[in-house]
Amino acid sequence: MPVLSTRTAAESETGVLRSPGRSDVLDVVGIGFGPSNLALAIALAEHNQEVPEADRVSARFYERKPAFGWHRGMLLKDTTMQVSYLKDLVSMRNPCSRFSFLSYLHARDRLVDFINHKTLFPSRREFHDYLEWSAQPFGDAVDYGREVVDVVPVEEAGEVTHFQVLTRAGGPQAEPTVQRARNVVVAGGLRPRLPDGTSLSDRVWHTSELLDRLETLPAGAARTPRSFTVVGAGQSAAETVAHLHGEFPDADIHAVFARYGYAPADDSAFVNKIFDPEAVDHFYTSPDDVKEMMFDYHRSTNYSVVDIELIDELYRRLYQEKVAGKQRLHVHNLTRLLTADAGDEHVRVGIEFLPTGRQDVLRTDYLVLATGYRPTDLNGILGSAEPILRTDDKGRVCVNRDYSVESILPGPAAIYLQGPTEHSHGIASSLLSNTAVRAGEITKALAKRLVRDIDAPRAPALTAAAPL
Ligand SMILES: Cc1cc2nc3c(=O)[nH]c(=O)nc-3n(C[C@H](O)[C@H](O)[C@H](O)COP(=O)(O)OP(=O)(O)OC[C@H]3O[C@@H](n4cnc5c(N)ncnc54)[C@H](O)[C@@H]3O)c2cc1C
Ligand SMILES: NC(=O)c1ccc[n+]([C@@H]2O[C@H](COP(=O)([O-])OP(=O)(O)OC[C@H]3O[C@@H](n4cnc5c(N)ncnc54)[C@H](OP(=O)(O)O)[C@@H]3O)[C@@H](O)[C@H]2O)c1
């Protein structure tokens, strides 16, 4: 890595590089280009339209996927959004934006039809199309197929003035290239959570890759799967069970989870206020014990819960199979996964019925782990910048209200987080509800910070080409 080799021994200890000059420094580099940084790109472009040229912000985004995509592996047919379309990328911040879901419907010539549909919750496939439509005008500002592998702080006169963002395309052997940036906004999303002792293989999948895996199944009736086992009781698990049960009419589907039954997601009006922008202020200013209390009270708005309509549908199918005397949907409640041994022909899934401790083995063709997600691995992305990030006594990064991370070194350069801030900003952090408002808040914070940096040469400001 040529850049890292320019460090002196002392610099390597702190992970800080001395500045080699700043002519090609961007105002913002965004890591990841999912909905969060897409909303930021729109907010920055709209900001640039409104302010004098000197105050405009330059930005570039790096996305490791080869093209825009939002949880493509779970774009199952008939699944709907779990958030109102009014909580799109912009409307809560700027209802007049041309990037609203309503503008998208208008551009697609479906506005009238959508109104007649009388729903707040479009299908996930339609929302994906909306996100793609919004991302398309920013194509020139995004490097797809390029992963950020390190962020190195650069020091000048005792201050961190900017970062060197190391990116790589084409796999681990490829040589990284460097982009300098005064600010970095990390929006790397979630990563699959696997139960201890399990690993992914041709027969053991995580829901995040469900459709990709199903597409690769060998063709031919004789090779059609005869059984699937799905572990977990959240929305992903329930959708996967319903999908596999519908798509493979001859297969047995085993649902394994520790709960007594699938529990409904609480999206009632008063509780839903936990996703309001104001709730972020309440959460942020609360002492730790109140934060924990808020989280525990309202965990069931999001985690390990299922839309009630889907619960009813699964129960209906189960009951109708009982009536018909031909059961192929099997619910193993109060049951935990013990082992998963994948062979060439099937997986041996060890399970335990918790009330009695009785252990069984399910021989299944494919095991699908619907076991949820963990937050972004900040260390894997920020690497060299991690030592300058202040952490609390629980080892969590200290995040300011404007989503910038507290640094142990002074200086104008900052790292912002979109997503891994559940501990500081509350339960909406990893969701879409607050995306538009948060992007506006970060844009304001960035613009304010950059006003102090007027000496630096400016790269061209971020703009959006006209949407399709
Ligand atoms: C199946 C599913 C459905 C969901 N539905 C809803 C819903 O209806 N409503 C809701 O509010 N929330 C929903 N969520 C929650 C979800 O987290 C948000 O919808 C949304 O994806 C958050 O956007 P993001 O941009 O922060 O993260 P992501 O959408 O995960 O995007 C992050 C991007 O960063 C990229 N990336 C990561 N690391 C790097 C790197 N080092 N270099 C370059 N690129 C990198 C990734 O490839 C990814 O494209 C759902 C989650 C799942 C799994
Ligand atoms: N249509 C949609 O919009 C849609 C679709 C899918 C997902 N989502 C969203 O995506 C997010 C994640 O949902 P999710 O269902 O993937 O995850 P989740 O809600 O976190 O649920 C994970 C499930 O896996 C179980 N689990 C976790 N670790 C386990 C282990 N080691 N062994 C066995 N079981 C384990 C959990 O058990 P416990 O029950 O004991 O907690 C839980 O039932 C949510 O925000 C959800 O709303 C949205």
Side-chain angles (χ1 to χ4, degrees), residues 74-361:
M74 278 292 285
L75 282 184
L76 309 176
K77 70 171 191 236
D78 301 331
T79 56
T80 58
M81 293 300 293
Q82 295 199 299
V83 71
S84 159
Y85 71 83
L86 292 171
K87 291 187 172 176
D88 59 20
L89 295 167
V90 292
S91 295
M92 296 273 287
R93 172 182 60 80
N94 173 16
C96 302
S97 170
R98 65 188 169 103
F99 288 95
S100 68
F101 188 75
L102 289 181
S103 296
Y104 153 80
L105 288 173
H106 188 258
R108 289 280 193 256
D109 203 16
R110 280 203 305 270
L111 184 54
V112 173
D113 299 317
F114 186 82
I115 292 169
N116 288 331
H117 197 16
K118 290 193 214 158
T119 182
L120 285 172
F121 306 102
S123 72
R124 295 193 57 244
R125 286 184 177 179
E126 183 173 32
F127 204 77
H128 190 280
D129 190 51
Y130 157 67
L131 293 173
E132 266 187 321
W133 172 87
S134 303
Q136 196 274 338
F138 292 97
D140 288 347
V142 187
D143 276 316
Y144 288 105
R146 189 164 272 281
E147 182 176 24
V148 173
V149 292
D150 200 5
V151 174
V152 186
V154 179
E155 188 202 326
E156 199 176 85
E159 294 200 328
V160 177
T161 56
H162 63 278
F163 300 97
Q164 296 201 332
V165 181
L166 274 68
T167 70
R168 190 164 54 197
Q173 307 310 325
E175 189 81 355
T177 59
V178 177
Q179 172 62 61
R180 293 187 289 169
R182 294 186 184 88
N183 298 282
V184 169
V185 183
V186 183
L190 303 163
R191 57 197 166 118
R193 177 176 50 209
L194 305 182
D196 292 343
T198 61
S199 54
L200 300 180
S201 69
D202 286 350
R203 291 195 175 267
V204 181
W205 312 337
H206 185 263
T207 45
S208 55
E209 49 174 7
L210 180 66
L211 285 180
D212 311 276
R213 291 288 193 175
L214 288 175
E215 265 173 30
T216 64
L217 285 182
R223 313 191 69 171
T224 300
R226 312 299 297 182
S227 67
F228 291 90
T229 298
V230 180
V231 177
Q235 183 70 20
S236 296
E239 286 185 7
T240 299
V241 167
H243 183 78
L244 296 173
H245 186 260
E247 293 293 304
F248 297 90
D250 297 322
D252 283 290
I253 313 295
H254 296 268
V256 172
F257 50 80
R259 294 176 174 247
Y260 207 87
Y262 295 112
D266 185 348
D267 64 348
S268 56
F270 287 103
V271 165
N272 211 51
K273 288 176 73 58
I274 195 88
F275 299 114
D276 288 359
E278 191 188 22
V280 177
D281 289 321
H282 292 146
F283 193 89
Y284 189 81
T285 50
S286 292
D288 271 1
D289 59 332
V290 178
K291 282 191 168 90
E292 263 171 49
M293 187 192 80
M294 280 171 80
F295 200 87
D296 290 347
Y297 270 142
H298 300 301
R299 207 186 135 71
S300 66
T301 52
N302 185 48
Y303 289 109
S304 310
V305 288
V306 182
D307 280 347
I308 187 72
E309 292 81 10
L310 181 52
I311 296 178
D312 289 345
E313 170 60 18
L314 287 176
Y315 196 86
R316 189 193 65 76
R317 292 191 200 181
L318 191 83
Y319 183 77
Q320 289 308 329
E321 288 183 354
K322 274 202 167 150
V323 172
K326 191 167 176 252
Q327 198 88 34
R328 61 183 191 88
L329 177 51
H330 312 273
V331 173
H332 305 263
N333 64 345
L334 296 175
T335 297
R336 73 182 172 116
L337 175 74
L338 294 175
T339 51
D341 300 318
D344 287 344
E345 298 296 321
H346 57 260
V347 190
R348 287 170 57 83
V349 181
I351 54 172
E352 179 186 348
F353 184 57
L354 293 167
T356 60
R358 183 196 148 114
Q359 297 188 357
D360 279 310
V361 174

Side-chain angles (χ1 to χ4, degrees), residues 378-412:
L378 281 183
N379 187 262
I381 296 179
L382 294 174
S384 302
E386 266 234 307
I388 70 160
L389 307 183
R390 197 180 297 286
T391 50
D392 65 13
D393 54 4
K394 293 181 178 146
R396 306 170 302 188
V397 282
C398 300
V399 192
N400 297 308
R401 175 61 185 84
D402 67 6
Y403 300 95
S404 60
V405 182
E406 284 184 35
S407 171
I408 60 169
L409 292 178

